Amino acid sequence: MVEIELDGQKVEIAEGCMVMHAAEKAGTYIPHFCYHKKLSIAANCRMCLVEVEKAPKPMPACATPVTQGMVVRTKSDKAIQAQKSVMEFLLINHPLDCPICDQGGECQLQDLAVGYGGTSSRYEEEKRVVFHKDVGPLISMEEMSRCIHCTRCVRFGQEVAGVMELGMIHRGEHSEITTVTGDTIDSELSGNMIDICPVGALTSKPFRYSARTWELSRRKSISPHDSTGANLVVQVKNHKVMRVLPFENEDVNECWIADRDRFSYEALNSAERLTRPMLKQGGVWSEVDWQTALEYIANGLQQIKKDHGANKIGALVSPHSTLEELYLARALVQGLGSNNIDYRLRNAEFATQHGVNWLGCSIASLSALQSVLVVGSNLRKDHPLFAQRVRQAARKGAVVTAIASVVRDWAMPVAHTLVAQSNAWVQALADVAAAVAQAKGVVAPQPQGQAGEVAQAIAQALLSGERKAVLLGNAAAHHAQASNLLALAQWIGENTGATVGYLTEAANTVGAQWVGAMPTAEGLNAAQMLAGGLRCALLLNTEPQWDSAVGAQAVAALGKVDMVITMSPFKANMEFSDVLLPIAPFTETSGSFINAEGRVQSFHAVVKPLGETRPGWKVLRVLGNLLGLSNFDFETSQEILTKAVNVPSGGLLDMSTRRVQAQTLTSPAQAGEPVVASIYQLDGIVRRATSLQLTADARLASGEVPA
């Protein structure tokens, strides 16, 4: 530790830290633009100039290392004058368009100009003009004349997103931030560039000119998409979601969110929203009141139970639903006497599971891994924020290895990739296990394993270091031989000291397992239900055509079911449904998600429900009451949460008691290609987000642009 004097205050700070870090620790604010705690130091804005005793001139606080006995003054005349001079320089070419700038009200330049800017400019020449650029549907670069060349966006791309999509060309006054040869910005984390831009050079294209920041109410929420459980700030005006920003949580998403977390809100205000219950009679849809719709469903369920038995009633539920909705859906189905409920619509294997498949370690620990093997995942697109964590580990020297069908660009160095068709992944993992067994002198779990060169390199990486993990992706979870893959992964983990876990697909995949949204031994699984084994199907937040492994075949199968009930925020499944119930999306209901590491995160509604939309848990509770089922007397979502997990919001579930044990290896079955949703097809909200569907990733998935 080094002790310095900062504005007369003694501060102890680790050796190698900068004056800026000492000031942060002391609670002293030093004005800055280019410095950001998550990015490398550039020291090119010079706004953080401070007076250092015995130094001949003011020094940048962000780039001046602390030394023992250093005396720093941040508010002396010399420091203030230097900061004012820099501010004058930055404002020379800055346009006077604050009244129409989207950054107004949250602009660092605007804020600091009040304290350090002059009343008028001495500059009388022509101002620099930078032509606007079209960089895609998410980020606006229409006013690049506002840019102060802090290079935050450039460094973010290089260091966090892993893709240098922006760079600076020319020199001096002619410097310009631009893409390479007019390319678009296609990173799945690109929206974070808007947040870190200290001026109005990069702004949100969907939000552009829609509201002023001071008109917006700010409310906390949780992302309903992937298993990170990113913390959000949802900004609201007139009971309408206008913008979504990250809420900093170092344990979960740090200060970043993925683009699908940021821009998916567009779907919440789309024309596809379902605002009133609807019944189909004689092939014609008509709007009805809630009482009529719920009585129709209750009578239908009772009739089908009487005529065909409760085992002909089933529920297909989405792991993007809240924990409370999943808990009550299971209680409803079981209350009727059925065990047909499943969230695993994309799975190809449905082995009896005792326990919970989860990440196997904390999300934060991904940044500190020394070795990681990723099996069956397009890590960058399936889990952008997990990929960002692993990317930081790779920057620190971690060895990243993979088993995959094709080599994909993860925007990080991947040391070894064992390329094999999906039906050969079990063999590939057995080869790695054989290499581990050979290195340790133990018996391999599968005799047919062959320790090839790549398998040996992966095994060696897992055997070295202390912090390591084997992570199974969405394709591995949906694989026809998922149990075999898990068994081999667990054997490798036990023999290398690596943690083993699933990246898990959806916001509540872990939660769905925890509350038992899966069939017991005598119940039908998702594949069996979609094969036509039901007389009545309840679809909670899911569209089987897009969300299931069978795809379009689900439409034909469900079309033969006597009664299909769809509970969704959108006009979904209209082709084969008999009744539609408008349930609230995550912004209009209270609820909880359990992320990949088992963290329970609750949230409240941020806006009023649209039209006659109702929270899903309330609809299920009322339906349970109409059917005369017991234990459906909940008044709040919090009561359901307490009943389901008894862990407060923000707490971690004890996964040690619910760990899935590897099953006995079965003989290899014929494995088809696992069904995995593309980045902007993951759930109904993302699919309906207009701007996200215009991105390169979305167009590639739809076949509009070549791979």
Side-chain angles (χ1 to χ4, degrees):
M1 298 295 281
V2 172
E3 186 177 82
I4 72 167
E5 183 184 313
L6 185 84
D7 293 337
Q9 180 184 351
K10 299 290 184 184
V11 182
E12 277 197 358
I13 193 81
E15 191 173 356
C17 289
M18 304 297 159
V19 171
M20 184 71 83
H21 301 139
E24 286 178 349
K25 186 176 179 181
T28 300
Y29 178 74
I30 299 175
H32 59 274
F33 292 112
C34 69
Y35 171 77
H36 190 281
K37 63 182 178 181
K38 294 290 183 182
L39 303 176
S40 63
I41 291 165
N44 54 2
C45 79
R46 319 305 280 188
M47 190 66 210
C48 64
L49 291 175
V50 294
E51 183 183 358
V52 179
E53 198 170 78
K54 298 180 181 177
K57 58 183 182 181
M59 306 292 286
C62 68
T64 304
V66 295
T67 57
Q68 183 63 40
M70 175 186 275
V71 179
V72 180
R73 300 182 184 91
T74 68
K75 295 178 176 61
S76 66
D77 290 342
K78 187 176 182 180
I80 295 292
Q81 188 52 50
Q83 291 161 2
K84 285 185 174 181
S85 297
V86 170
M87 177 57 73
E88 183 180 26
F89 177 72
L90 290 174
L91 292 175
I92 278 177
N93 278 307
H94 198 79
L96 298 175
D97 59 355
C98 292
I100 62 149
C101 180
D102 262 359
Q103 195 81 357
E106 51 186 16
C107 174
Q108 275 184 262
L109 186 70
Q110 201 175 52
D111 293 343
L112 292 178
V114 173
Y116 300 92
T119 55
S120 60
S121 175
R122 294 182 290 171
Y123 184 76
E124 295 180 353
E125 308 298 320
E126 287 186 7
K127 291 196 174 193
R128 178 194 70 220
V129 175
V130 180
F131 289 108
H132 67 83
K133 303 163 182 69
D134 186 0
V135 293
L138 304 180
I139 296 177
S140 171
M141 293 181 71
E142 293 288 319
E143 289 90 10
M144 289 304 294
S145 298
R146 299 169 184 164
C147 179
I148 59 170
H149 306 141
C150 70
T151 67
R152 277 185 178 185
C153 53
V154 178
R155 286 174 285 144
F156 172 84
Q158 283 179 298
E159 298 163 16
V160 180
V163 185
M164 188 178 170
E165 295 179 298
L166 290 176
M168 190 157 68
I169 60 173
H170 307 311
R171 298 183 64 188
E173 183 183 54
H174 303 291
S175 298
E176 187 176 334
I177 299 290
T178 185
T179 58
V180 178
T181 62
D183 290 344
T184 55
I185 298 175
D186 299 321
S187 166
E188 63 284 353
L189 298 171
S190 65
N192 294 290
M193 294 180 184
I194 301 167
D195 293 340
I196 62 174
C197 179
V199 295
L202 304 180
T203 54
S204 168
K205 194 172 274 188
F207 176 70
R208 187 172 167 84
Y209 295 147
S210 58
R212 309 307 307 231
T213 59
W214 54 85
E215 300 174 321
L216 304 174
S217 302
R218 290 158 174 80
R219 295 157 190 173
K220 282 183 64 178
S221 192
I222 305 295
S223 169
H225 306 304
D226 63 35
S227 57
T228 309
N231 290 208
L232 310 176
V233 175
V234 181
Q235 300 190 337
V236 175
K237 180 184 177 184
N238 297 332
H239 298 290
K240 183 179 177 181
V241 176
M242 305 299 292
R243 188 165 63 162
V244 174
L245 298 176
F247 183 85
E248 188 170 347
N249 187 333
E250 282 296 315
D251 293 331
V252 181
N253 56 299
E254 300 177 271
C255 55
W256 317 119
I257 55 173
D259 285 352
R260 67 182 169 199
D261 301 326
R262 184 183 301 272
F263 297 108
S264 64
Y265 72 88
E266 286 186 295
L268 305 174
N269 307 316
S270 73
E272 289 193 55
R273 281 293 304 272
L274 179 67
T275 57
R276 291 196 69 192
M278 296 181 75
L279 280 179
K280 186 194 289 181
Q281 294 176 318
V284 179
W285 284 102
S286 58
E287 293 185 343
V288 296
D289 58 59
W290 272 101
Q291 187 72 20
T292 303
L294 291 172
E295 285 179 357
Y296 175 86
I297 293 168
N299 293 333
L301 287 168
Q302 288 169 333
Q303 192 64 44
I304 288 170
K305 180 181 177 179
K306 180 182 174 183
D307 295 346
H308 306 285
N311 62 346
K312 292 296 182 180
I313 299 171
L316 294 162
V317 297
S318 167
H320 300 277
S321 304
T322 67
L323 190 76
E324 293 80 359
E325 290 166 356
L326 293 172
Y327 179 85
L328 289 180
R330 184 196 61 116
L332 181 76
V333 171
Q334 290 184 343
L336 288 166
S338 171
N339 282 299
N340 306 332
I341 181 170
D342 210 346
Y343 76 92
R344 301 166 297 174
L345 276 74
R346 292 193 179 100
N347 282 28
E349 185 200 82
F350 300 90
T352 303
Q353 181 178 314
H354 303 285
V356 176
N357 288 318
W358 66 296
L359 189 60
C361 60
S362 68
I363 292 174
S365 68
L366 296 177
S367 304
L369 289 173
Q370 295 170 319
S371 178
V372 58
L373 168 61
V374 181
V375 182
S377 174
N378 183 6
L379 185 62
R380 179 180 165 192
K381 302 299 181 181
D382 292 348
H383 300 90
L385 292 173
F386 289 170
Q388 187 273 134
R389 292 271 192 183
V390 175
R391 190 172 296 118
Q392 301 315 307
R395 286 175 57 84
K396 299 170 192 170
V399 180
V400 181
T401 55
I403 294 176
S405 303
V406 294
V407 177
R408 289 190 172 94
D409 179 16
W410 288 355
M412 70 178 86
V414 179
H416 309 284
T417 301
L418 189 51
V419 180
Q421 292 299 312
S422 59
N423 57 11
W425 284 355
V426 172
Q427 180 62 51
L429 207 53
D431 293 348
V432 175
V436 171
Q438 185 179 308
K440 294 197 70 177
V442 297
V443 179
Q446 277 197 358
Q448 64 265 39
Q450 301 172 353
E453 187 180 336
V454 179
Q456 286 182 344
I458 294 173
Q460 195 55 50
L462 288 171
L463 286 164
S464 58
E466 296 177 359
R467 300 180 301 275
K468 42 213 173 179
V470 178
L471 301 174
L472 301 167
N474 296 349
H478 302 164
H479 200 277
Q481 297 169 260
S483 296
N484 286 8
L485 291 172
L486 176 61
L488 284 165
Q490 288 189 341
W491 188 93
I492 292 169
E494 287 163 6
N495 285 275
T496 61
T499 61
V500 178
Y502 282 91
L503 293 164
T504 68
E505 181 182 41
N508 219 10
T509 299
V510 172
Q513 297 173 80
W514 191 272
V515 300
M518 297 175 290
T520 52
E522 67 273 14
L524 301 178
N525 60 47
Q528 291 166 330
M529 286 190 270
L530 287 171
L534 299 178
R535 289 284 185 168
C536 176
L538 172 65
L539 307 180
L540 176 62
N541 253 330
T542 187
E543 298 168 78
Q545 183 176 357
W546 313 109
D547 295 331
S548 73
V550 294
Q553 295 174 31
V555 177
L558 289 166
K560 298 173 184 175
V561 176
D562 293 350
M563 184 168 75
V564 178
I565 306 153
T566 291
M567 298 175 63
S568 172
F570 305 102
K571 294 174 183 174
N573 306 329
M574 297 186 76
E575 184 177 345
F576 51 80
S577 293
D578 296 286
V579 57
L580 300 181
L581 298 181
I583 62 167
F586 74 105
T587 51
E588 299 170 19
T589 181
S590 58
S592 309
F593 294 129
I594 303 178
N595 69 2
E597 66 176 352
R599 187 179 299 275
V600 181
Q601 299 188 110
S602 297
F603 53 91
H604 297 288
V606 300
V607 292
K608 290 179 179 177
L610 186 65
E612 293 186 23
T613 300
R614 298 289 181 268
W617 69 267
K618 286 189 178 181
V619 176
L620 289 164
R621 183 201 65 193
V622 173
L623 197 53
N625 293 336
L626 284 173
L627 291 164
L629 306 180
S630 57
N631 300 317
F632 271 80
D633 53 352
F634 302 104
E635 293 296 324
T636 64
S637 60
Q638 187 61 46
E639 290 180 22
I640 307 171
L641 177 65
T642 304
K643 182 80 172 177
V645 299
N646 199 26
V647 171
S649 180
L652 289 167
L653 296 175
D654 182 9
M655 292 298 188
S656 59
T657 59
R658 303 285 270 290
R659 183 172 181 264
V660 175
Q661 295 299 316
Q663 300 192 11
T664 305
L665 294 174
T666 58
S667 57
Q670 188 61 38
E673 195 67 28
V675 176
V676 179
S678 63
I679 184 170
Y680 298 131
Q681 292 292 321
L682 184 61
D683 60 74
I685 297 177
V686 169
R687 284 195 290 271
R688 291 171 172 85
T690 311
S691 297
L692 290 178
Q693 296 308 316
L694 296 173
T695 61
D697 280 325
R699 289 185 291 115
L700 179 64
S702 66
E704 288 184 30
V705 293

